[in-house]
Amino acid sequence: MIKDSLRELRIQLALLNHQVGGRLALKDIDLDCLDVLGKNGPLTPSALARQVGLHPATLTGILDRLERGGWIARDRDPADRRSVSIRTLPDRNVEVFRLYRGMNSAMDEICANYSEKELEVISDFLQRSAEAGRESTAKLAQDS
């Protein structure tokens, strides 16, 4: 039952992301990179590649596309000109947040029906599930 529900959630989130990406002329992986940068950034290209599970050469093309679209900036480290940091540009990210507003509002309504203790259990479950996903992704990436 839980695995079926997680599978349905994954499908619905993928479909939502695909709709958002279509409206913004972004690919699903572009949204993933923007999301990781928004949550953990700024990051070096190699750190971002590790977090999204891509080969650095593949990521370069994605970063070029995002930079051309005005979604990210690459900043050189003044102390080491070879080192680059990637950050999202807030003006463009407002567009992304606007398109997810409906889902965010729905999630707020859903969470309002649970007690603080129930939300802690749900959060723990989701965090553990995310960690299992990270570990599985890392293992698959290592094996390839």
Side-chain angles (χ1 to χ4, degrees):
M1 179 171 84
I2 294 290
K3 289 179 184 177
D4 288 341
S5 296
L6 284 173
R7 186 177 189 185
E8 180 63 22
L9 176 60
R10 188 211 59 79
I11 291 167
Q12 293 308 315
L13 290 175
L15 293 171
L16 175 61
N17 289 342
H18 187 71
Q19 286 296 315
V20 168
R23 298 265 179 106
L24 299 171
L26 293 172
K27 297 180 180 189
D28 291 349
I29 192 64
D30 298 344
L31 284 173
D32 292 341
C33 289
L34 288 173
D35 200 21
V36 168
L37 284 168
K39 183 176 182 257
N40 304 317
L43 296 169
T44 64
S46 58
L48 179 59
R50 275 191 306 277
Q51 288 193 29
V52 295
L54 292 175
H55 190 277
T58 303
L59 183 64
T60 299
I62 294 166
L63 294 177
D64 289 346
R65 183 171 58 245
L66 290 172
E67 189 174 39
R68 278 192 308 273
W71 293 98
I72 62 159
R74 290 174 170 145
D75 300 317
R76 296 226 175 259
D77 182 341
D80 180 0
R81 301 287 295 156
R82 295 170 296 167
S83 180
V84 173
S85 166
I86 304 158
R87 63 181 167 84
T88 59
L89 297 175
D91 293 347
R92 290 303 307 266
N93 286 316
V94 169
E95 298 175 58
V96 177
F97 293 128
R98 180 181 54 80
L99 292 171
Y100 284 109
R101 188 176 342 170
M103 182 61 169
N104 284 329
S105 295
M107 293 304 300
D108 289 342
E109 289 177 27
I110 291 167
C111 289
N113 292 311
Y114 291 93
S115 71
E116 206 52 44
K117 193 72 174 164
E118 290 170 322
L119 289 171
E120 287 175 17
V121 171
I122 294 168
S123 178
D124 178 66
F125 172 78
L126 292 173
Q127 289 173 10
R128 288 177 181 212
S129 298
E131 182 57 32
R134 274 188 290 280
E135 289 172 7
S136 296
T137 300
K139 184 167 178 12
L140 282 175
Q142 249 180 359
D143 293 345
S144 61

